[in-house]
Amino acid sequence: MREVAVLGVAMNRFGVSQKTNLEMFTEVGLEAIERSGLEPKDIQALFLGCCLGAFEEGQAHIAPFAHSELGLPTGSPAVLMECACATATVSIRNAALLVAGGVYDFVLAGGTERATLMGTPLATRTFAMASHSYYESTVGITFPGVFALAAHMYAAKYGIGLPELKRHMAEVAVKNHKHALLNPKAHFQKEIDVETVLNSMMVADPLQLYDCCPFSDGAAAVVLARADRAKEFVKKPIYIIGMGQAACGALSLQRDLTVVKARVEAARQAYSQAGIGPEDLDVVELHDCFTIAEILAIEALGLYEFGKGYEAATKGETALGGKVPVNPSGGLKAKGHPIGATGAAQVVEIVEQLREEAGERQIPGAKIGLVDTLGGDFGTVCNIILRR
Amino acid sequence: MEYPIPFSRYQEHMREGRFVGVRCGACGSVLFPPRAVCPECGGRAFSETELKGEGIIRTFTVIRVPPEGRKAPYTIVMVELSEGPYVLGNLLGLNPEEVGMELIGKRVLMKPQPVAGDLLLRGEFLVPGFYLV
Ligand SMILES: [Zn+2]
């Protein structure tokens, strides 16, 4: 297998967009190609993520339209990928595998999503399509509901009083909002405190509004290339040194919702390929769609033992300047979560950190970073480890 | 290959007030809802087995912001059935405003509960409903 490098990356400001999914992706795609020192004619394949385009804009089969907007050659295939919230990470992993395998030398991968167009009731319904349609969506489970089930199970399993756990969960939101203040691309740029979270409306007990990421619009794109040619095009290529992806079925098969089995396996694959462990990470962008989700993730990624991660944000260990900064971008929680684009935006953040181009939120000397994206009700997890 | 108990027949059983799953011929695991491959051992030879409908609540939530077409609040529970499988269902007969952590560990009985489908999944369905014992 050949080594794979990231050349140019780009994302737009997440939030509420007047631009269409195609327009957003065209902008970031062209920026990423330009920053790679390439022309659209050099891109040999497009892997595009967009989860709910059919419901947002009545648009299916969006990839060939993005392909022509970008001016890619007719001979370069365009594929739409969908793994719920892990969509863009999975697009990037599959693109990277084809570069590693020698099929392509230069590919474009990423995603675009316009979730705010749907409004909360329809967005809540369409997000729930990523649960088992016949056996679980029919009982009315929602995405906050899935993580709410996990939060209550976490409190019971480890014998932590719910009010105590909720304060620690709120600290995750406070931290990620604070990080987002330093990120001009973030959906929210608003400092909050624990009381903001605990006084917000209840969405799915015990998760309140500020425990939840927003519905966002946004797009992000990355160009991947064979590593041996990367320095011909960019000064600071970033290398993909490990990847992992795993799958699980319905919630009822997963049983212990405090341990995301797909993440344990995906992370094992990625660490093993990279030849490193969690202690080697300088920066992590992980899937904090809900505050409890960040706690579950830092544990399954091996940064904390199971049952020990819940105090991390409160102690400041996962904040910028802490032991291992988690979600310096503001995370899904505050940077925003345009589901089909999220994983690519996580890669953008890690790449900028490793290039020391992250501005005010730069982690000094960051050399190795990890991307963690979860799709659906723990059905997919995809991890990518990058190094400068 | 014939799918052991398709959703349509699972629904027929529910309409008769019965919960029918399958027992793995290789390892004895009970699968409910029914499946084609045993997640425990990979076995694919099954016999049908009727469940008692008894179980213990392992976790829960109260949905306050519902998907389009549903009315909140309502309570969702994840229950470990006495035969082993976990199942997601609605907790009924208890005001959602009155539930809390004390639910976890409580014994429940499963009864079919009708729900209406919507534009995305058309039809009328029966889902597991649970009542505290
Ligand atoms: Zn078996």
Side-chain angles (χ1 to χ4, degrees), chain A residues 29-167:
Chain A
L30 288 174
E31 273 175 42
I33 293 169
E34 193 176 312
R35 287 174 190 161
S36 304
L38 295 168
E39 292 292 329
K41 67 172 171 48
D42 301 317
I43 300 297
Q44 295 166 310
L46 167 64
F47 295 88
L48 177 62
C50 183
C51 296
L52 296 171
F55 299 87
E56 293 156 0
E57 300 181 327
Q59 180 70 69
H61 199 215
I62 191 173
F65 298 108
H67 167 284
S68 71
E69 291 272 357
L70 290 162
L72 305 190
T74 305
S76 299
V79 182
L80 177 65
M81 306 203 89
E82 193 265 307
C83 274
C85 308
T87 286
T89 323
V90 170
S91 299
I92 292 168
R93 176 174 177 273
N94 280 276
L97 288 173
L98 286 164
V99 175
V103 178
Y104 302 121
D105 292 338
F106 302 99
V107 297
L108 180 67
T112 185
E113 201 74 54
R114 216 175 163 203
T116 69
L117 265 188
M118 293 184 286
T120 297
L122 181 60
T124 302
R125 174 65 183 95
T126 55
F127 276 48
M129 295 193 312
S131 285
H132 194 298
S133 186
Y134 284 99
Y135 287 115
E136 295 188 348
S137 293
T138 44
V139 308
I141 191 69
T142 63
F143 261 81
V146 169
F147 286 83
L149 292 172
H152 280 152
M153 196 179 267
Y154 190 101
K157 179 178 176 183
Y158 298 115
I160 306 160
L162 190 61
E164 189 196 346
L165 178 60
K166 285 190 57 162
R167 291 194 79 84

Side-chain angles (χ1 to χ4, degrees), chain A residues 239-321:
Chain A
Y239 301 94
I240 294 180
I241 59 170
M243 299 193 292
Q245 188 182 332
C248 260
L251 284 176
S252 54
L253 282 180
Q254 302 187 32
R255 299 182 178 204
D256 183 351
L257 305 182
T258 67
V259 177
V260 178
K261 289 161 199 74
R263 177 176 280 123
V264 171
E265 175 55 24
R268 190 198 60 72
Q269 293 171 11
Y271 287 135
S272 150
Q273 191 190 351
I276 65 160
E279 63 283 359
D280 298 311
L281 300 173
D282 299 309
V283 51
V284 175
E285 280 284 312
L286 57 72
H287 204 82
D288 61 327
C289 49
F290 301 95
T291 50
I292 185 70
E294 176 161 318
I295 294 167
L296 301 185
I298 58 177
E299 293 180 0
L301 290 172
L303 297 167
Y304 287 83
E305 282 174 43
F306 287 106
K308 303 284 189 209
Y310 70 99
E311 293 174 314
T314 308
K315 291 178 176 166
E317 293 170 350
T318 46
L320 280 166

